[in-house]
Amino acid sequence: MNDLVRPLQAAQGLQHDWHLERIVGELHDARQRWRRQQGRSSEIGVREFPSRDALRSIVTALCGALFPLRLGPPDLREASEDFYVGHTLGLALDALAGQVRLELSYSARLRGDVDDGVEAHTVNIVREFAADLPRLRSLLDADVHAAYQGDPAARSVDEVLLCYPGITAIIHHRLAHRLYAAGVPLVARIIAEIAHSDTGIDIHPGAEIGAGFFIDHGTGVVIGETAVIGQRVRLYQAVTLGAKRFPVGDNGELQKGQPRHPIVEDDVVIYAGATVLGRITIGHGATIGGNVWLTRSVAPGSNVTQASLRHDAD
Amino acid sequence: MNDLVRPLQAAQGLQHDWHLERIVGELHDARQRWRRQQGRSSEIGVREFPSRDALRSIVTALCGALFPLRLGPPDLREASEDFYVGHTLGLALDALAGQVRLELSYSARLRGDVDDGVEAHTVNIVREFAADLPRLRSLLDADVHAAYQGDPAARSVDEVLLCYPGITAIIHHRLAHRLYAAGVPLVARIIAEIAHSDTGIDIHPGAEIGAGFFIDHGTGVVIGETAVIGQRVRLYQAVTLGAKRFPVGDNGELQKGQPRHPIVEDDVVIYAGATVLGRITIGHGATIGGNVWLTRSVAPGSNVTQASLRHDAD
Amino acid sequence: MNDLVRPLQAAQGLQHDWHLERIVGELHDARQRWRRQQGRSSEIGVREFPSRDALRSIVTALCGALFPLRLGPPDLREASEDFYVGHTLGLALDALAGQVRLELSYSARLRGDVDDGVEAHTVNIVREFAADLPRLRSLLDADVHAAYQGDPAARSVDEVLLCYPGITAIIHHRLAHRLYAAGVPLVARIIAEIAHSDTGIDIHPGAEIGAGFFIDHGTGVVIGETAVIGQRVRLYQAVTLGAKRFPVGDNGELQKGQPRHPIVEDDVVIYAGATVLGRITIGHGATIGGNVWLTRSVAPGSNVTQASLRHDAD
Amino acid sequence: MNDLVRPLQAAQGLQHDWHLERIVGELHDARQRWRRQQGRSSEIGVREFPSRDALRSIVTALCGALFPLRLGPPDLREASEDFYVGHTLGLALDALAGQVRLELSYSARLRGDVDDGVEAHTVNIVREFAADLPRLRSLLDADVHAAYQGDPAARSVDEVLLCYPGITAIIHHRLAHRLYAAGVPLVARIIAEIAHSDTGIDIHPGAEIGAGFFIDHGTGVVIGETAVIGQRVRLYQAVTLGAKRFPVGDNGELQKGQPRHPIVEDDVVIYAGATVLGRITIGHGATIGGNVWLTRSVAPGSNVTQASLRHDAD
Amino acid sequence: MNDLVRPLQAAQGLQHDWHLERIVGELHDARQRWRRQQGRSSEIGVREFPSRDALRSIVTALCGALFPLRLGPPDLREASEDFYVGHTLGLALDALAGQVRLELSYSARLRGDVDDGVEAHTVNIVREFAADLPRLRSLLDADVHAAYQGDPAARSVDEVLLCYPGITAIIHHRLAHRLYAAGVPLVARIIAEIAHSDTGIDIHPGAEIGAGFFIDHGTGVVIGETAVIGQRVRLYQAVTLGAKRFPVGDNGELQKGQPRHPIVEDDVVIYAGATVLGRITIGHGATIGGNVWLTRSVAPGSNVTQASLRHDAD
Amino acid sequence: MNDLVRPLQAAQGLQHDWHLERIVGELHDARQRWRRQQGRSSEIGVREFPSRDALRSIVTALCGALFPLRLGPPDLREASEDFYVGHTLGLALDALAGQVRLELSYSARLRGDVDDGVEAHTVNIVREFAADLPRLRSLLDADVHAAYQGDPAARSVDEVLLCYPGITAIIHHRLAHRLYAAGVPLVARIIAEIAHSDTGIDIHPGAEIGAGFFIDHGTGVVIGETAVIGQRVRLYQAVTLGAKRFPVGDNGELQKGQPRHPIVEDDVVIYAGATVLGRITIGHGATIGGNVWLTRSVAPGSNVTQASLRHDAD
């Protein structure tokens, strides 16, 4: 029915001139300036970057393959689960290979390399990623179980899997982290940003996160690239695990890749709005209260609140 | 799942040059030549012609409004039939008004007129068309009934309405003919061609066709612009009701709009492959046999076959 | 990009009144008259008829399951063929069960039955249909092979499968005929009409057709409900295998279900435009020439042409 | 145009083997482990959980039915508003009944019940929900009015309805809360999470919220399950109305359903970033300043700021 | 709104077992039998055949590029015609190159060749096709003009271009013939079959057709692979230009590629239902009457009718 | 494949009565009450407000025109960039004109004006907006460059453009601000809310922001209508640049349009969670620490932290 209204506009007589030729020319010049400024030759004729839309479809398919009756199509029946999983996985891995190849070619070009090994490298990465999916499924089962146990409002594990943004975020993260570790950080980053946009939870794909991880509510959580999180850790909304300052090298440029985010040990709970900055360690079993601002390490079993900090500070 | 495969192609490096600039220029020149040849000023800047896609959507909507539980959406329930009919009709008539306006403006421009009266004319045409829909519904009910009675393979009136291409053709024709008579022959013609493409039945929207009309099988049927068909007429596939020759005026050009197709009276049956040409009359109750080639009038109640004709001829 | 133009129309100020309330009321009355006339109680509140759109999707899926690398999705690879086939078949059979159930319920209601056995009957029909699919695949392979051998323009069996309307028609027919025989003639008829609309070839699902069947070009072919066709038969465009006249019972109504169409034995060829009418037999190996009009049986091995007939007639 | 690029990838020759058979088997085993661990019999063969996509469509349709000219289709005209509302509501309520039925069946199965009463229960819930829609519309009108009055940047009530994420959140909440109260908390929760994802505002469907409620900016707001909010309350971004700690029962498990979130009386304003925890009461007319951390009740008319708290604390 | 009804079916409990595993296995075996029978190694793992869907999109885009204001998007304005043409042509030619490459690779594989030259060959074919488009546009302009002059019912050249199935057929043919001549007959054949399905007009892409060609009504027209048609020829519905018999070589197989269809010289008119068979010549300016069956050459300027033939025959 | 499951639901027999007539009537009454209350005559028959869906499509198209190889379609090649830019820009500007016209008409109607000048005003606004696009592209290039330099995790400018939500937000803002300044604040606001929903970053389109602006992570950032931000400013997540209190006029109503948000000079950095309120000035080069609550101006080059503030406060 929506198509009914389309052609009506043709009668409106939109005869105005937007001076398209001139604007197209000026935009052309602006692109050329930028490309020169970035030292780009004009020979790069195709769009060589991984695609967010493609990765969104791939992740949706992988979710279906991992949890077919819950995140697969509504009409799936258990009798044909394996057919669905095999079919979907085949498509998703072929498509993922396409995205991985795009990143590897892009990176090679950026380094000025010829990209001789790209094809073999692509196959390796995707094959190992695929082989690891059953392990990721079990990790995610532990995450779902942790969420169910940690939230008094949860009624069933199914509700947790289908409704909780924290679960959406950790599914994306576990897939993205595996790809980050395999050497395709841009593909990983795009997957992380898809979850960020949908949930407000921003986990850098470099972060290492143990089993049984749960984020409640979640909006505003930020977890940095070099953060290390143990098992059964629980976070609430607006928690930051960030960097205190960025190390600058002798050349005055930011040094990349240095450990600069917190280590959070097993069984830690961090309440809403807490800010934890720098390469400090939160000892196992510690509790960090809401809105706490923390830049020093904390002993195992500690209970840190605003009040305790203020006392401490004065 | 289909979106998964899209971006793979980007890696292919389709770097070939099709010389687009040159071809675009030559196509531009070809268009200009054609426009000059047709005496068109270049000022006609919008696409001012009715749209086939739009009219297909409009007819689909009108079919739903006429037969809501049969040709409307599969989830419609009788309890909300009138809501559906009113909502759908409102959209369809608004959209039809847009197409009618396009044709009227186009025709005015072709005549070199200013199109002052287009808006009022549009409203008149659509309003009268709308007011006539209940009558068309009853006519179509009679067509469905005739088909059910005329085909030994038909099991129910519902099967006839939903499966028979002859019914598809007559629904389109009755809508198109009403619009043809109201003064928008191009809109009418486009609707007729939609049915032609779907069914292989080619009825010019100018043809006048009485109630209880039925075409069986239908592929290859052609009914010309000035044909007049009575009540309860039945045709089979590949029947032609055509013109014998085209009258040419003093200026050597074809004369348009002259009666040049057959008159078929009530209760006539014409079997498959028969060709009936020229402004002749098939008297009421006559039967025309398969593959007959007929260019002379036939008395009421006659039974014309190939054999009878050959006899006649010799 | 298409969505860009949609909202423009809102500015047009289509403020005309189509008198919707009145037309909706009159259409309501017209529906009620028709339903009374058809003896329908108003209690039938849902749309209980099989759906053409649904059956089109189902047939498309079955085609993919039968010929996965040729008629399945373009990105399918042989390594995951079986996953695709199993997944697609599962969906298609569930959906087909839905359509079969609709027809059985509809028929029960039409007979005034309670529909107690519908569910079990549905499962039986679909299960047997499913079990027969491998046999149908082999039959269709023979059809493809026959087309390849019968057409000098054919370059490969793949071209035949993908390009030839005659193949499209026979795939639909073999599926439809199986369902017709199983007791769901409306579902079967709708499938046949889908092929009719796409190819101009109109084969009634009741017709029995042997292996290695080939129709070339095809537009205008009509094959009736009780036709019986042997093995390795070849037809060209516009051939009719029809009924001569319809038997009328004592009550003056058409008698349904009587054998009334031709029997065509093995290895017969019928050229374009030939019309074969009535319960006659074309003996094996006979050839029927183009445009021949035939209402008498023909001995095996005969070669019937217009000339031979005319001679015969005089 | 997008379809143009699809088939190109087939030429790429993605011939790599991902060992699909093995991975499918391992994922199968992982699912079985999880199901055993959750005590699930394998007999649950269909996907029995409400669907987020379905509920998103249902809510979109309900929004259109509640505010037809603002949230309905762009081509709607006032003359056919009621037709649209009736048609849309009919579809939406049928579909909602489907989702409600899924939840009730799921819950019955989880409890080990036979689900005898599900059908009647479903009809009751949807019928009462439907009957309450006009009241919800009036409540929402009051919310829109409050937003318009509370924001100096608002230019009209239409702008508020169409642009403000706080309004999106409260529309979803009022629908979700009604369903939560009627006994379908999962359906309600999914609706709430749809709004959470779109706006960053996380309101548990259990929360009771009076008329004239307004959230400005909104990102990061969290309102807990047992919160009670009076009339004309105004919140800003990142406000938390949370639980201080979770009550644990004798068995060491979290006690569910206990009142554990704040009561906010009429005419309270809570500024950005304030955290209000536990079953405390904010008296009517009180103002809570930005970033305030509050775990004790506050008298009516109070004005609480960080400074006042610190003073208070020392 | 359509999405509303989807998930309802999940509640139906379709728990029947279709024995998928067994059927999938039997279909697998049937495929293997066929592949063995066709002498296919199992290594051909991707679907290497051109795609009908892709070619339909490509032809639609080429039509838009050839006639932007008539067959392009409804919102196109003359001011940006060239931008649209260049953009659309770029996409369409890239996509066409993909299809051409598929056919060349397929053919090479069928011949057992390595496909070394495929890439260069592909680029050559597409580049020359692209360069020829302006010439095709002018040819088509002449076809449109001929149709306008030949049909008394035509009101304008725009009506002809947008409504006449004969024009749809000739646009597809001119594109397909160019590709056929360039060495991609399967791509060409698929394009021809798209037109055949839409119009009922079946023109083999090998046929050579001069300027100013017009087919009226068109359903059932068949024009064979080696037919040669001069300038300003006019055909009506159901005309066949076919082969009389197929030459069989010494090995008993059909000989492919031999001239076996008629030559039709300039300014010939052939009326509806005429059948013209074999490598005969219809001299320039001749008129062939309706339903004529013709297997001998005809002198220029002749007027052949059924009567004249019968006379001739006796 | 998805369409397979649709029609199954029809068999479910959803025969329940939702009392649609009554609810439709009550909703009608509720709408009338609201319209009376808002002083609306019932003559406003069309939906006269800009559309969020339309503006989302327009912004997507403008992003493609600004960064064709990065944000345009994946199959774009450099050789046809300008064609794509021209074609896309033409459509986007026509569509934007439609939205601008809707807002201007709406505003005129709200003021009780006749809308005589709307058409000319629309053309002016869109033409100037179009002419400014090349300048906006260069500004955005500087933003991308600043993000790349400011984040140690960034690997390339392409990654920044495609992955960073802060870049998404500033692209939307620069387009929205230009339209806000041109006199269409509702269109601008809707564009801003699209970015808010996708990124959690809420920038009022009235805010003035200099070149080289970068927001990292971003969720929870709020920037108010009258904020003024210099060049090379960097913000982190959850920073608020808000109003302290709203000025109330003599009539007790909020005064709209007064400067009430901060001025942030060049080269300022504001860390996560900082709240800056009121018309204060942050001097150039100053650094504001995380979680700082700031309501007084700060001298150039200052370094404000929680500790410094507390010290200051006591």
Side-chain angles (χ1 to χ4, degrees), chain A residues 252-263:
Chain A
E253 294 208 339
L254 293 174
Q255 287 186 310
K256 307 206 166 190
Q258 303 272 12
R260 60 194 185 277
H261 301 98
I263 295 167

Side-chain angles (χ1 to χ4, degrees), chain F residues 8 16 49 65 76 100 106 109 116-117 121 125 129 132 142 148 151 171 184 190 207 213 230 243-244 286 290:
Chain F
L8 293 183
H16 316 303
F49 211 80
L76 188 64
V100 166
Y106 171 79
R109 213 171 290 200
D116 277 357
H121 197 179
I125 288 174
F129 173 79
D132 210 24
Y148 175 63
D151 181 6
I171 295 176
V184 278
I190 293 172
F213 182 66
K244 204 163 156 189

Side-chain angles (χ1 to χ4, degrees), chain B residues 9 14-16 18 75 77, chain F residues 9 14-16 18 77:
Chain B
Q9 61 82 28
L14 277 166
Q15 302 286 15
H16 317 303
W18 310 124
D75 47 345
R77 297 164 55 189
Chain F
Q9 62 83 27
L14 276 167
Q15 301 287 15
H16 316 303
W18 309 125
R77 298 164 55 190

